[in-house]
Amino acid sequence: MTSTDSAQTPAKAPAKDPWDLPDVSGYVVGVLGGTGPQGKGLAYRLARAGQKVIIGSRAAERAQAAAEQLGHGIEGADNAETARRSDIVIVAVPWEGHGPLLQSLREELVGKLVVDCVNPLGFDKKGAYALKPEEGSAAEQAAALLPGSRVTAAFHHLSAVLLEDPEIEQIDTDVMVLGEERADVEIVQALAGRIPGMRGIFAGRLRNAHQVESLVANLISVNRRYKAHAGLRVTDV
């Protein structure tokens, strides 16, 4: 290569630091299923960290009562209003109601960043076990039902007991975040990182969501055996 060739070769841009995450403090976060344990816990932790949060329920009155109980400026509304008013919408409903709810909110969720944290599980006398949705996972079902939304998956492995306990200052766990677009994944990673003790870790595209959702069945077994509220830590990152 001549010196002229070398001079014309564009320099490579430095690799992006994976921990260089956006400021998400100005986003409004809506929690569908915000009156259930996981939804209430996430709403409480995010609001306590300074995020503007709206919790949704089928009945606005129920959501408003839960919001008043949680404090920290949380508002309550019905699911449709929550979806309309939010920039980021966390789906924290029981698996049985997941598909029908998202189908009913397709229009309200157009253009929204949707964070699915639903775990399709069954239970029998042997304990919890993973279900395999036709689409592959709850997150992939959400993506199929919401073609106009930006669907990600996160917050699957958190203990509702720890989230809701006001005496606990920080929750030492990692949050696996999956999605198709890096920018969307990084927003969710940053959102998780607002909660003291948590980190958001990129864990692949939505096609990998099934095993992340399924791992909750294993954590339930851990918790029952050890009387614990187990989470996850990813090492060496």
Side-chain angles (χ1 to χ4, degrees):
M1 180 181 291
T2 67
S3 59
T4 304
D5 292 334
S6 178
Q8 291 176 347
T9 302
K12 282 188 177 181
K16 186 179 187 302
D17 181 352
W19 296 110
D20 180 15
L21 300 173
D23 177 10
V24 297
S25 59
Y27 286 111
V28 177
V29 178
V31 184
L32 304 179
T35 58
Q38 186 182 28
K40 280 175 68 176
L42 278 170
Y44 170 69
R45 287 290 161 180
L46 290 169
R48 181 168 159 170
Q51 206 77 35
K52 174 60 185 172
V53 178
I54 306 169
I55 59 175
S57 177
R58 283 177 293 181
E61 297 80 8
R62 187 179 177 198
Q64 289 159 1
E68 187 175 341
Q69 178 189 16
L70 292 171
H72 295 280
I74 297 172
E75 294 184 46
D78 63 37
N79 285 322
E81 183 181 347
T82 299
R84 281 193 296 267
R85 292 179 56 196
S86 302
D87 304 302
I88 303 170
V89 179
I90 297 174
V91 183
V93 298
W95 167 240
E96 295 75 18
H98 181 262
L101 175 68
L102 295 185
Q103 202 160 25
S104 72
L105 296 176
R106 181 178 298 190
E107 291 185 13
E108 289 84 354
L109 291 171
V110 168
K112 308 291 185 177
L113 176 54
V114 175
V115 186
D116 201 296
C117 63
V118 174
N119 303 305
L121 297 176
F123 295 86
D124 60 19
K125 62 183 180 181
K126 294 182 180 180
Y129 61 94
L131 302 175
K132 187 71 177 282
E134 182 180 345
E135 297 84 355
S137 64
E140 288 169 295
Q141 183 185 86
L145 292 172
L146 303 173
S149 305
R150 297 138 53 209
V151 176
T152 61
F155 300 117
H156 301 90
H157 306 134
L158 306 180
S159 163
V161 173
L162 299 184
L163 289 172
E164 291 189 272
D165 189 342
E167 299 300 316
I168 295 176
E169 293 295 326
Q170 65 179 47
I171 299 177
D172 295 317
T173 192
D174 287 333
V175 173
M176 311 287 273
V177 184
L178 303 98
E180 300 302 317
E181 300 295 334
R182 180 165 184 165
D184 294 337
V185 168
E186 289 181 347
I187 289 172
V188 181
Q189 286 181 263
L191 189 66
R194 298 213 71 200
I195 300 174
M198 283 191 196
R199 297 187 306 170
I201 304 287
F202 171 64
R205 294 179 179 268
L206 290 185
R207 68 180 184 179
N208 292 321
H210 172 65
Q211 56 264 37
V212 173
E213 297 168 1
S214 300
L215 190 57
V216 174
N218 302 90
L219 289 177
I220 289 171
S221 297
V222 170
N223 290 336
R224 287 181 174 174
R225 174 63 62 90
Y226 298 102
K227 311 299 183 196
H229 302 292
L232 296 179
R233 274 295 191 206
V234 180
T235 62
D236 202 34
V237 293

